[in-house]
Structures are given as C-alpha cells and as structure tokens.
Amino acid sequence: MEKEFGLLWEVSASEFVFVTMILAGGAAYMTGRAAARGWMPNWQLVIYMVLLAAATRFIHFALFSGSLLSLYYYVVDLVVILVIAFIGMRVTRSGQMATQYRFAYDRSGVLGWKKR
C-alpha cells in the first residue's frame, strides 16, 4: 500500500498525511482565514503558499529523508495546500459577506453567499 500511490508521496502515505495534510494543511487553512479577514487578494495567498510548500519540502527532507529539490513533489505539496488554503479563505469570506453585508447577502452553504 505504501508504494501504490507513488505519484502523490515519495516515502510513505502516513508521512504525506502527517506533514503535508495535517501540519502544512492546518497552517494553510489558518493562513487562508487570515487572508480573508484582512481582505487580501488571492495572489497574495498564493505567494504565502509557495513559501509554505518550500517549508513543507524541507520538513520532508529533514525529518523523513525525502528529497529536498524535487520539483514534482513540491508541486504536489503546493497543490494540496493551495486547495486547503482557498477552502479556508472561502469559508471565512462567506461568513464575512453574510455578516458584514447582511442587508445585501445571505449565506448559501458553507462556501458561498447569494444576493437577497
């Protein structure tokens, strides 16, 4: 099972889940929330996630003997944390739109809002 999905992780699935999804994903979600609360543009969140993906690659390298300069696995980590970051940003932004502009918008699910 460990080597079945070698396209997603290089050493083990548990390492990928722990480092990329739990540690870096948690940081990405909180960064997305902070970006939404500061009304930052999407491109600024992408820059933060590029840096976080580099730190994630370093943790894979330093703690679990992964490769440091693997472009493929860097992109895999980047895509995973970008998705988590934008989910965090969208959840927070939908709450902001429904709360701060309640005269114009209602919350429509967890990730969206709609005009009244």
Side-chain angles (χ1 to χ4, degrees), residues 50-111:
V50 166
L51 296 172
L52 183 60
T56 305
R57 279 282 84 211
F58 179 75
I59 292 172
H60 279 291
F61 169 73
L63 297 179
F64 299 106
S65 299
S67 59
L68 179 63
L69 300 176
S70 171
L71 181 63
Y72 178 78
Y73 290 116
Y74 173 79
V75 171
V76 169
D77 289 343
L78 179 62
V79 168
V80 169
I81 63 174
L82 272 173
V83 167
I84 294 171
F86 278 109
I87 287 173
M89 185 178 204
R90 188 69 180 195
V91 166
T92 305
R93 182 64 48 88
S94 66
Q96 285 176 316
M97 294 298 285
T99 302
Q100 293 179 4
Y101 303 109
R102 76 182 89 180
F103 60 89
Y105 297 104
D106 286 327
R107 195 165 188 161
S108 174
V110 177
L111 298 175

Side-chain angles (χ1 to χ4, degrees), residues 30-46 48 86 89 93 96:
M30 296 305 288
T31 305
R33 286 176 47 102
R37 289 182 182 200
W39 295 93
M40 295 179 188
N42 290 339
W43 62 266
Q44 197 167 0
L45 181 61
V46 171
Y48 292 146
F86 278 109
M89 185 178 204
R93 182 64 48 88
Q96 285 176 316

